[in-house]
Amino acid sequence: MGASLDLKALRARKPVDAPVNLDATRQDGLGCHSGKETMQNAAKAAGMGETLDALKRDYPVGPHDQPQSMCPAFGSLRVGLRMRRTATILSGSACCVYGLTFTSHFYGARRTVGYVPFNSETLVTGKLFEDIRDAVRETADPALHDAVVVINLCVPTASGVPLRLLPREIDGVRIIGIDVPGFGVPTHAEAKDVLAGAMLKVARGEAEHGPVAAPRQPRDGRPTIALLGEMFPADPMQIGALLDPLGLAAGPVVPTREWRELYAALDCTAVAAIHPFYTASLREFEAAGRPAVASAPVGHDGTAAWLDAIGETCGVSPAMVAAAKNRFLPAIRGALSANPICGRITLTGYEGSELLVARLLIESGAEVPYVGTACPRTKHSEADRDWLEAHGARVQFRASLEQDLQAVEEYGPDLAIGTTPVVQKAKERAIPALYFTNLISARPLMGVAGAGSLAQVINGAMGQRERFDAMRSFFAGVGTGHAAGIWEDVPKKRAAVKRAAPEKPVGEMA
């Protein structure tokens, strides 16, 4: 398709059908700083309305507009960079590409990221699409790659750069083009689903048309449960142990680590929606006739309910399910009792496992009055929400920074778990705090191993309260805000001096 594309004919079309809307891109300052509404209007004028509508259906915002977080495209970039024999090319502003690649390598990616630069001329004339197509052709080496992923960032999406017109494959190398604009995808956690879902769709089509590559690790013949959502590496093994007495095995984790695992994931009996907001991926499993099981085997109650749901979905006899519960639940209850957590904790994050962590904290003995997550409420998150609310927690989907900070003020916790700005504000108030992404989500949550995994770090942090009080007492009087520091004459805040605009909360990395 790409080789025979007539760009002259494309440029002759009406603006709404053209790959680039000239009026939208000629205005000065069309970029990330232009504002969400401006970018959305430009994208719609450039013929990207259908793409934005699809993203809005899959990843709805609300109750407020969008959580404060880092660039969502990091999620898709991370998925591609963690896959073997997969090349990734970014199309976007140089500053965005720099930030995304820096963050990716900071988090351990040892892979080259392709970049197709542009300027006003190549963007307006359609030359950028030609440059992307040339880069894809140069990269698509079947000796090195199974797939090439091209990601449109904000400006190319707003300008209508048509990745859908790229060839679907070159010399057997699949070409996956996706749009991941910050004004269309709310969080980086959901952006993982954008790419995972796109890959599953292609893999499902290939499997429906004939034989495909077998997984690297041979299967033992047992039916499998695919696992949806990134998790701690030990968790799939814990889930496998829980499934073994049921005559089932743990299948691949989606997002996968290589292309052939996509086929194995689709060839499952059911999919466990560990992260319930993977809407595009769940749609592909549903199209393949694979039912989804909500929640996860977390804590005593969560594990019991999950085993029941797996047994019912997969046709496992009640006797086998009961035997599995009798085998694991006493051990989980024992681990929870041996590792108690006593204290009030507010919890928020944007990874997607916040509700699961909150369940585990409550079963460990903690009081958790507030759970905030940047991810959306879906039908597969209802079981966790219902359980948490029945145990005294207020659950806030699409939580904003302001709501998270208000929860800390309202409940005065012994420990605040959250994003960087939440941790910062809590510590300013002498409240111990832990960064969710690095210190909480990087621990096992499932089964027996997860039952006692959080107590040490949680109790250790809560035990620092006296040190915080001592530091606060020591630094008392040095001033805060405009008067921070030590002064002979403390600066006076001038009422007549007004800021040009209110300060915006600082974003952060995942």
Side-chain angles (χ1 to χ4, degrees):
M1 181 185 296
S4 61
L5 180 64
D6 187 350
L7 283 175
K8 185 175 181 180
L10 278 174
R11 292 169 188 156
R13 294 180 181 177
K14 294 182 295 184
V16 70
D17 295 324
V20 176
N21 176 15
L22 304 186
D23 292 335
T25 56
R26 279 176 180 152
Q27 55 183 301
D28 181 43
L30 180 63
C32 299
H33 58 281
S34 303
K36 183 174 182 178
E37 185 176 352
T38 299
M39 300 292 278
Q40 286 178 333
N41 291 338
K44 291 176 182 177
M48 298 294 288
E50 185 176 342
T51 297
L52 294 185
D53 289 342
L55 292 174
K56 187 176 181 179
R57 288 192 301 270
D58 283 348
Y59 316 110
V61 295
H64 71 284
D65 187 39
Q66 188 173 21
Q68 299 98 322
S69 183
M70 67 167 302
C71 172
F74 174 65
S76 294
L77 179 60
R78 174 179 171 130
V79 167
L81 290 178
R82 295 179 72 184
M83 291 185 67
R84 302 184 186 95
R85 293 179 54 82
T86 298
T88 303
I89 298 174
L90 295 178
S91 171
S93 299
C95 56
C96 301
V97 172
Y98 170 78
L100 286 167
T101 53
F102 174 85
T103 304
S104 296
H105 294 304
F106 178 81
Y107 278 90
R110 298 181 179 180
R111 302 276 290 280
T112 298
V113 180
Y115 170 44
V116 182
F118 64 87
N119 54 36
S120 298
E121 180 180 353
T122 60
L123 191 64
V124 169
T125 61
K127 180 65 164 56
L128 173 57
F129 175 79
E130 294 178 341
D131 292 342
I132 293 173
R133 188 183 59 191
D134 292 343
V136 167
R137 286 174 173 166
E138 184 176 347
T139 306
D141 182 350
L144 301 174
H145 302 124
D146 294 326
V148 175
V149 176
V150 186
I151 302 174
N152 261 352
L153 306 181
C154 287
V155 173
T157 295
S159 303
V161 175
L163 296 183
R164 63 188 179 277
L165 298 182
L166 290 171
R168 295 187 178 183
E169 64 90 18
I170 297 175
D171 294 334
V173 179
R174 305 155 186 87
I175 311 301
I176 312 291
I178 57 175
D179 290 89
V180 192
F183 56 85
V185 181
T187 67
H188 80 278
E190 290 158 290
K192 296 175 185 177
D193 178 51
V194 173
L195 181 52
M199 288 184 162
L200 282 169
K201 184 175 183 178
V202 174
R204 182 172 61 83
E206 293 174 347
E208 290 174 349
H209 281 86
V212 293
R216 189 181 298 271
Q217 298 295 330
R219 294 169 55 170
D220 59 11
R222 289 179 296 171
T224 61
I225 304 298
L227 309 177
L228 190 55
E230 287 191 320
M231 62 193 81
F232 187 74
D235 280 336
M237 291 186 287
Q238 288 295 313
I239 293 175
L242 293 170
L243 293 172
D244 183 64
L246 306 182
L248 304 171
V253 177
V254 178
T256 61
R257 293 305 183 95
E258 64 178 327
W259 189 271
R260 64 173 65 190
E261 289 181 355
L262 293 165
Y263 307 129
L266 289 165
D267 187 25
C268 64
T269 299
V271 55
I274 306 296
H275 286 190
F277 53 87
Y278 273 59
T279 306
S281 297
L282 285 168
R283 184 167 54 243
E284 295 307 317
F285 280 105
E286 181 180 357
R290 276 39 177 180
V293 177
S295 193
V298 170
H300 178 278
D301 292 0
T303 301
W306 190 80
L307 288 173
D308 285 337
I310 288 290
E312 181 179 354
T313 302
C314 300
V316 179
S317 71
M320 293 179 69
V321 174
K325 292 165 69 173
N326 290 335
R327 175 178 173 182
F328 293 111
L329 295 185
I332 292 173
R333 190 184 294 278
L336 292 169
S337 300
N339 298 276
I341 298 174
C342 300
R344 178 181 295 175
I345 301 172
T346 57
L347 184 148
T348 185
Y350 46 46
E351 299 296 334
S353 57
E354 292 76 31
L355 275 62
L356 300 179
V357 172
R359 292 190 62 152
L360 195 54
L361 291 175
I362 291 173
E363 286 209 44
S364 298
E367 176 190 355
V368 183
Y370 175 82
V371 182
T373 177
C375 297
R377 177 176 175 177
T378 71
K379 66 178 182 179
H380 295 296
S381 63
E382 289 298 275
D384 294 323
R385 182 190 67 86
D386 290 344
W387 190 94
L388 288 169
E389 290 186 346
H391 288 76
R394 172 161 59 94
V395 180
Q396 179 63 62
F397 294 97
R398 288 282 188 241
S400 68
L401 174 59
E402 292 77 13
Q403 290 169 321
D404 295 338
L405 295 178
Q406 178 57 38
V408 175
E409 295 288 348
E410 178 181 352
Y411 295 109
D414 300 302
L415 175 71
I417 299 174
T419 57
T420 299
V422 172
V423 169
Q424 175 187 352
K425 289 296 183 181
K427 289 182 176 180
E428 286 178 359
R429 289 157 177 75
I431 298 173
L434 293 173
Y435 180 29
F436 184 94
T437 298
N438 286 359
L439 296 174
I440 302 300
S441 67
R443 281 172 166 75
L445 299 178
M446 315 296 170
V448 179
S453 66
L454 298 179
Q456 183 176 3
V457 66
I458 296 291
N459 291 329
M462 287 194 293
Q464 300 298 312
R465 186 64 181 255
E466 291 185 2
R467 294 183 62 189
F468 276 94
D469 291 337
M471 285 190 290
R472 192 174 192 181
S473 175
F474 179 82
F475 287 106
V478 300
T480 58
H482 74 284
I486 301 175
W487 307 87
E488 291 183 3
D489 298 312
V490 178
K492 299 186 182 299
K493 194 170 185 179
R494 307 289 181 179
V497 179
K498 297 181 178 180
R499 293 174 178 161
E503 290 184 357
K504 296 182 179 179
V506 178
E508 63 181 271
M509 295 182 290

